[in-house]
Amino acid sequence: MTIDLDPRGLVNTVYQPFLFAEQRAQIFFGGSGSGKSVFIAERIALDVMQGRNYLVVRNTACTLKSSCFNEIRKAISQLRLNDYFRISKSEMVITCVLNNKQIRFSGLDDIEKVKSITPQEGPLTDIWIEEATEVAYDDYKQLRKRIRGYSLHKKRITLSFNPVYKTHWIYTEFFGEWIDGKNILQTNDLLIVKTTHVNNEFLTADDHAELENEKDPYYYQVYTLGNWGVLGDVIFKNWRVEDLQRPVKVLKDGVEVYVPLCSTFDNIRNGLDFGFAADPSAFLKAHLDRKHKTIYVFKEYYERGKTNDALAEDLRPLLGYQRVIADSAEQKSIQELNDCGINAVGAFKGSDSVRFGIQWLQGYELVIDKSCQNLKNELTLYQWKKDKDGNTIKQPIDKFNHLIDALRYALSEDMDRIPQARILSRRELGI
């Protein structure tokens, strides 16, 4: 069966040369509003009709339905291909009825589940990693192993993202031959395409103006111009990354067994910073080792658009009956979490609590699990302000700090300061 489809007017002109690109590694990056995710979704719909099987991943599963899954559904509709696809919302599987080739979706919060995903017919030929800067390097390496086996089609892995900073593994892995000022790099095995909002023919004048009028220098460089960020005077330099999930030997009922290292932590602290649309709800779990002046962060949660009842539902398996210390400025949200069965209390905030908390955390070594990519991003980007003469002042820029704030809240009761009163929750008061 042959279907005539003219991509003009449906696919942004800048992307049309790459509809059939064959390089094994393909990177589409740049500024916000560039249309890169829309293009990849359109290409996926066309690829599956030609016999390819896709796995679409993001760092966490709960973000997939509202992003990639819906984007591909819209692309199928936009290309007027609805009659050729069967879409299962409950299973999040899209099947081409012409050839039984599929698009399957998975979060990387359980990499073992990803290993078991198999298309209905034929091998997996393609993987799309959306928001790839959120993904750990080890997870990327695991994904590369998933595209193997005989196929008539060349295997490919596609990454899309807004750039963050040049120390990120994506930059060091792929951008060795990249020339700043260019927009395309092509070799036999690598394709890199940089685009910005200027390349998106489907944005309105207001959309373009919103991005061009960005005042923050870092945001303008990254989200308007699509450039890799350059680090300034970062606040935290006392951190390193480890695999805190690695197996260790313990004695259990007189028998030696292997368990994840983080399961041996017994001095757990939980912290939460509230968000919704522009800012994420940010939660983390940490283990405090006072004797060795070390804090181990082994779990993070970083999601936007979550109402408090939905947030409570996501936090319940992460917390159980443990307590979480949250931003005390959000008393209504704290109460709503308690009403949903979450043991949440407000953090104490004394005078100059942000700088005090930063100084206290700087006195410890921070060990971050390799899976906590968003916290690693924040620690790399969180910086001191500068005065009009370019001199650093000891006041942090209020950006890239959602999980860092959650860490301060989690440990606020451990910080060495004169105890002061704070507002207690109803649960603590027994009412």
Side-chain angles (χ1 to χ4, degrees):
M1 180 178 182
T2 301
I3 299 172
D4 292 325
L5 181 68
D6 187 346
R8 290 174 297 181
L10 297 174
V11 178
N12 263 304
T13 303
V14 70
Y15 296 116
Q16 290 176 19
F18 311 111
L19 276 168
F20 306 105
E22 290 288 314
Q23 287 90 344
R24 183 173 178 86
Q26 301 190 16
I27 293 176
F28 294 88
F29 83 107
S32 294
S34 62
K36 51 189 176 292
S37 297
V38 175
F39 161 69
I40 295 171
E42 292 169 332
R43 190 174 77 164
I44 287 174
L46 298 174
D47 281 344
V48 173
M49 295 183 71
Q50 296 176 82
R52 290 182 174 272
N53 281 309
Y54 265 86
L55 173 63
V56 179
V57 300
R58 285 193 62 173
N59 200 40
T60 54
C62 57
T63 59
L64 278 167
K65 182 168 285 189
S66 60
S67 58
C68 302
F69 185 75
N70 283 343
E71 200 69 76
I72 295 173
R73 287 177 58 203
K74 287 192 295 183
I76 290 170
S77 179
Q78 181 72 19
L79 295 170
R80 298 185 286 275
L81 299 174
N82 300 73
D83 292 342
Y84 307 110
F85 287 91
R86 183 173 63 251
I87 299 174
S88 172
K89 296 180 183 178
S90 58
E91 297 181 3
M92 285 183 64
V93 176
I94 299 175
T95 305
C96 177
V97 298
L98 299 176
N99 55 20
N100 289 325
K101 296 303 186 285
Q102 292 185 315
I103 311 164
R104 305 186 72 93
F105 300 80
S106 179
L108 297 178
D109 28 8
D110 189 346
I111 194 67
E112 294 303 316
K113 288 183 179 178
V114 176
K115 295 178 183 178
S116 64
I117 291 176
T118 304
Q120 177 177 304
E121 186 175 295
L124 183 66
T125 62
D126 288 81
I127 296 177
W128 174 26
I129 308 176
E130 169 70 316
E131 301 293 355
T133 52
E134 297 177 357
V135 172
Y137 181 56
D138 285 352
D139 289 342
Y140 165 74
K141 289 195 293 184
Q142 287 290 340
L143 288 169
R144 282 195 314 189
K145 297 175 183 177
R146 294 285 296 119
I147 45 175
R148 59 179 182 267
Y150 175 76
S151 172
L152 295 174
H153 300 277
K154 189 171 180 179
K155 308 294 179 55
R156 304 178 305 185
I157 187 163
T158 300
L159 289 72
S160 58
F161 55 88
N162 299 119
V164 282
Y165 47 89
K166 288 187 174 181
T167 53
H168 196 283
W169 68 262
I170 292 177
Y171 190 87
T172 56
E173 180 83 359
F174 295 109
F175 282 73
E177 298 181 32
W178 179 257
I179 300 174
D180 288 332
K182 301 289 186 180
N183 295 321
I184 298 172
L185 170 66
Q186 293 193 73
T187 68
N188 289 336
D189 292 316
L190 176 63
L191 168 68
I192 302 179
V193 179
K194 175 188 175 184
T195 51
T196 70
H197 70 97
V198 174
N199 304 112
N200 192 341
E201 302 157 13
F202 303 108
L203 289 186
T204 67
D206 287 342
D207 294 331
H208 290 295
E210 178 71 21
L211 286 159
E212 285 298 336
N213 293 332
E214 174 59 59
K215 302 301 182 187
D216 182 275
Y218 180 87
Y219 270 54
Y220 186 78
Q221 283 293 318
V222 171
Y223 295 104
T224 302
L225 301 182
N227 295 328
W228 289 90
V230 178
L231 300 181
D233 191 0
V234 294
I235 293 173
F236 290 103
K237 301 175 182 177
N238 55 320
W239 63 282
R240 57 185 172 87
V241 177
E242 274 192 24
D243 181 4
L244 300 180
Q245 315 287 337
R246 68 181 184 272
V248 294
K249 189 185 298 183
V250 299
L251 196 64
K252 188 174 183 180
D253 298 327
V255 179
E256 288 185 341
V257 296
Y258 284 91
V259 299
L261 172 62
C262 59
S263 70
T264 67
F265 295 156
D266 57 4
N267 198 24
I268 306 300
R269 304 290 186 269
N270 302 292
L272 173 65
D273 185 42
F274 292 103
F276 184 69
D279 295 331
S281 297
F283 165 87
L284 54 71
K285 298 182 76 71
H287 165 68
L288 175 63
D289 182 348
R290 273 190 175 274
K291 180 179 178 182
H292 299 101
K293 300 283 285 184
T294 305
I295 297 165
Y296 298 87
V297 180
F298 58 97
K299 187 69 177 178
E300 71 171 31
Y301 171 94
Y302 194 86
E303 300 295 342
R304 290 178 173 84
K306 292 288 183 177
T307 58
N308 287 329
D309 57 342
L311 177 61
E313 188 70 22
D314 290 347
L315 292 182
R316 196 170 290 115
L318 302 176
L319 280 169
Y321 295 104
Q322 294 177 0
R323 187 180 63 160
V324 58
I325 303 179
D327 183 0
S328 57
E330 296 271 358
Q331 285 298 315
K332 180 174 179 290
S333 294
I334 290 172
Q335 184 56 58
E336 289 178 355
L337 287 183
N338 276 277
D339 292 341
C340 293
I342 299 296
N343 184 4
V345 300
F348 167 72
K349 292 183 179 181
S351 60
D352 205 17
S353 61
V354 175
R355 281 199 294 181
F356 178 86
I358 288 172
Q359 184 178 3
W360 190 86
L361 289 172
Q362 287 174 328
Y364 280 72
E365 181 178 26
L366 308 179
V367 180
I368 315 301
D369 184 66
K370 66 183 181 69
S371 68
C372 298
Q373 187 62 51
N374 291 293
L375 179 57
K376 290 186 284 184
N377 290 348
E378 288 191 4
L379 289 168
T380 308
L381 296 172
Y382 195 38
Q383 301 179 39
W384 297 114
K385 287 184 178 179
K386 296 184 183 296
D387 63 20
K388 60 182 178 62
D389 298 317
N391 300 311
T392 298
I393 57 177
K394 292 301 180 181
Q395 184 177 351
I397 298 173
D398 189 20
K399 288 178 180 175
F400 314 114
N401 56 352
H402 307 294
L403 284 162
I404 291 171
D405 284 349
L407 184 60
R408 286 194 299 105
Y409 301 148
L411 294 155
S412 58
E413 294 179 351
D414 298 286
M415 295 180 181
D416 307 312
R417 64 194 304 166
I418 299 172
Q420 300 185 46
R422 65 172 174 82
I423 299 173
L424 299 178
S425 70
R426 288 185 179 183
R427 180 174 294 186
E428 288 178 300
L429 294 171
I431 57 176

